[in-house]
Amino acid sequence: MTTYPQIIRTIAELRRVIASFRKANPDNQTVGLVPTMGFLHEGHKSLLHKSVTDNGLTVLSIFVNPIQFGPGEDLDKYPRDEQRDLVVAAEAGVDIVFLPQVEEMYPNKRVTTVTVNEVTDRLCGTSRPGHFDGVSTVVMKLFNIVQPNRAYFGLKDAQQVAVITSMVRDLNVPVEIVPCPIIREADGLALSSRNVYLGQEERKQALILSKSLSNAVKWIQDSELTAPQLIARLKEEISRVPLADIDYVDVLNYPDLSPIDNQMLLGSVQPESDLLIAVAVRFGKTRLIDNKLINQVEVGANTCFAK
Ligand code: AMP
């Protein structure tokens, strides 16, 4: 039988309910948090399932956070469907859905911002100025409101995982960050709430993202390539698709997102560091991101895994 989650719209009530859960379950009952902007799909569901499995209480937050959108971005038309999201939450076994209004999260003029440096210097950090300040600030607020033991984030947004992990480390936030693998459609397209914006032809051509990333893994295994050569090859392949308008293609060390310079990718094995191949491409007005995170040691040993 599906039990319906408790819907909470205020910070005060959320704090109250979580405190009474902790009081009633003093031993070994952990709280998991899954922060989202709603319009839930299988990617979100995978995070929810993991949290429900791992924790005594799972809080799903649904908040389209205005301060992480830049001017001219899709804040106003960001897709929303509260009723459907609640059904998804119920099916996933979520205990609490936190659904605050903007005024609840930002009641006053805000004079405090959490800024994470360096890992935000590239990729979406440069093409969406201010975006990660908005993300780290709202996530820090959610961490302080919920005080979760664990928080779940998708590697679809690999840079976001790097940003939040750095913030938690540097500010000693007592939460375990759990990165979760990218969930894809059967044909390879990474699930995203923004996929609904795509027209039929754009949807078809958007497959170039996952296809070119898979090809990149093969190219690294089959030939000696430097990062700039791999980037050039990826750009060439993506540009062949008429509707694709490239925002960025980059290959970086992960999770510090430092550049790889000119050495051969296979020869540059750093056991502590993975390799992130990340792309952002516009199809019409829709900007899609995708990535492959690969372990250089395993690529070298020809047992490449993509997280
Ligand atoms: P969003 O609602 O887009 O802000 O996403 C909320 C969380 O779901 C973030 O941690 C995302 O990385 C994660 N997520 C979104 N799409 C996917 C996907 N296709 N696979 C795995 N996680 C995802």
Side-chain angles (χ1 to χ4, degrees):
M1 201 189 80
T2 312
T3 39
Y4 224 64
Q6 192 169 353
I7 299 163
I8 298 183
R9 295 183 192 274
T10 67
I11 294 167
E13 195 194 348
L14 182 59
R15 283 192 196 278
R16 239 184 344 261
V17 171
I18 293 173
S20 66
F21 165 80
R22 287 196 192 277
K23 206 165 158 198
N25 303 275
D27 302 322
N28 207 21
Q29 284 287 31
T30 54
V31 174
L33 170 67
V34 181
T36 77
M37 298 204 298
F39 211 69
L40 304 179
H41 51 64
E42 293 295 326
H44 299 114
K45 276 194 220 174
S46 70
L47 272 52
L48 294 172
H49 286 305
K50 178 108 183 78
S51 177
V52 169
T53 308
D54 291 351
N55 300 288
L57 185 92
T58 288
V59 180
L60 159 67
S61 66
I62 299 179
F63 180 59
V64 181
N65 176 36
I67 68 166
Q68 72 185 67
F69 288 77
E73 290 189 351
D74 56 347
L75 172 62
D76 293 335
K77 66 178 182 91
Y78 195 83
R80 297 161 207 244
D81 190 340
E82 193 176 302
Q83 284 319 305
R84 217 197 67 194
D85 285 351
L86 292 175
V87 174
V88 172
E91 285 168 357
V94 167
D95 302 286
I96 296 172
V97 183
F98 180 48
L99 270 164
Q101 295 291 312
V102 173
E103 300 72 38
E104 179 69 10
M105 290 297 277
Y106 302 113
N108 309 307
K109 180 174 174 291
R110 190 174 45 88
V111 293
T112 306
T113 298
V114 180
T115 297
V116 177
N117 295 306
E118 294 193 15
V119 284
T120 55
D121 284 349
R122 288 166 166 267
L123 311 177
C124 296
T126 20
S127 51
R128 302 184 68 188
H131 169 68
F132 284 117
D133 280 1
V135 170
S136 33
T137 301
V138 80
V139 170
M140 193 66 197
K141 281 169 74 74
L142 289 168
F143 285 172
N144 285 329
I145 293 165
V146 176
Q147 299 184 4
N149 300 80
R150 301 189 183 94
Y152 296 79
F153 292 88
L155 284 164
K156 160 86 174 7
D157 301 275
Q159 189 175 19
Q160 177 170 273
V161 173
V163 169
I164 300 301
T165 306
S166 304
M167 176 184 83
V168 161
R169 180 200 61 209
D170 292 350
L171 300 183
N172 305 94
V173 187
V175 61
E176 179 193 344
I177 302 303
V178 185
C180 302
I182 301 177
I183 305 297
R184 298 176 179 281
E185 303 271 17
D187 61 7
L189 184 71
L191 283 159
S192 163
S193 304
R194 290 188 167 98
N195 289 351
V196 289
Y197 299 148
L198 295 169
Q200 215 181 350
E201 191 52 37
E202 290 170 339
R203 167 70 180 74
K204 232 160 109 191
Q205 295 194 19
L207 288 180
I208 191 62
L209 269 68
S210 52
K211 241 171 75 186
S212 61
L213 287 166
S214 299
N215 286 341
V217 177
K218 280 189 230 130
W219 297 335
I220 297 174
Q221 287 175 316
D222 293 348
S223 48
E224 300 232 310
L225 279 179
T226 62
Q229 285 169 336
L230 178 61
I231 292 167
R233 210 154 153 184
L234 274 165
K235 283 187 172 164
E236 190 189 308
E237 169 143 308
I238 296 170
S239 306
R240 274 196 229 122
V241 170
L243 297 178
D245 173 16
I246 296 175
D247 179 357
Y248 64 70
V249 173
D250 216 342
V251 181
L252 300 165
N253 289 306
Y254 193 87
D256 68 356
L257 301 185
S258 60
I260 297 189
D261 307 325
N262 241 341
Q263 74 257 39
M264 295 299 163
L265 291 172
L266 267 186
S268 64
V269 174
Q270 300 171 21
E272 291 308 303
S273 164
D274 288 342
L275 194 72
L276 177 71
I277 310 172
V279 299
V281 180
R282 281 198 181 77
F283 292 86
K285 289 198 173 112
T286 311
R287 182 177 171 282
L288 300 180
I289 58 170
D290 199 351
N291 71 75
K292 271 261 169 6
L293 198 49
I294 49 184
N295 182 287
Q296 300 184 63
V297 179
E298 296 188 30
V299 175
N302 232 357
T303 53
C304 171
F305 79 101
K307 284 181 185 168

